[in-house]
Amino acid sequence: MERYTSELNNLSTGMLEKIAEGLHMKAEEMTELVGEGRQTIRINCYPPCELSDQVMGLTPHSDPTLITILLQLNDIDGLEIRKDGKWVQVQPLPNAFIINVGYILEIISNGRYHSIEHRGMVHPVKERLSFATFFGLGLDGEFGPAPSLISEQSPAKFMRVKVQEFYKGLFSRRLQGKAYVDTFKIQQD
Ligand SMILES: O=C(O)CCC(=O)C(=O)O
Ligand SMILES: [Fe+2]
């Protein structure tokens, strides 16, 4: 477990560096924004349910992370993402991770990356297990769109927010689609 979490930490750091490069952010900016980051893990266990077409395992949401690295432990279908308004199944591939973009990356990238709305469905006869490793921010400090991505032509689309307030606000509301990120949007006219 210790090895898994530390390897995944390296993987997420490497991915965030590449994402920063792709966004043409200043090289150190992502490292400074993320600091030591905050890694948390959730193991999801969805028992089988005969009425699988009438119940939900995990309600639609986006993760409060920069990125989430998801492992479908026993390769059972169930993860769905919302694409163009429709729910699309994500087929588990053996020995492959699924990377989800979360709210924090959406805000830091000033909306260039979109957090992905997803949900967990249950299987009629098989138990489903998934292992989610979340990469968020340490509780001190604040974050907002990366300064190097903001200009007169490309103004900030999101407000800056204290990390603690961000998490506090999140946990005081119901898990509900992507609505939370919208509360940080700056109205453009
Ligand atoms: O079970 C899954 O595949 C998704 C889990 C998930 O979205 C989460 O833990 O945030
Ligand atoms: Fe999730």
Side-chain angles (χ1 to χ4, degrees), residues 17 49 56 107 110 123 130 161 177:
E17 269 169 25
C49 176
M56 182 81 62
I107 294 176
N110 203 27
H123 194 278
S130 75
V161 58

Side-chain angles (χ1 to χ4, degrees), residues 42 44 58-59 61-64 68 70 79 100 116 118-119 132 134:
R42 176 157 66 203
N44 298 295
L58 188 56
T59 47
H61 67 282
S62 284
D63 297 338
T68 304
L70 201 58
L79 175 67
N100 273 349
I116 185 81
H118 54 285
R119 65 183 186 180
F134 302 106

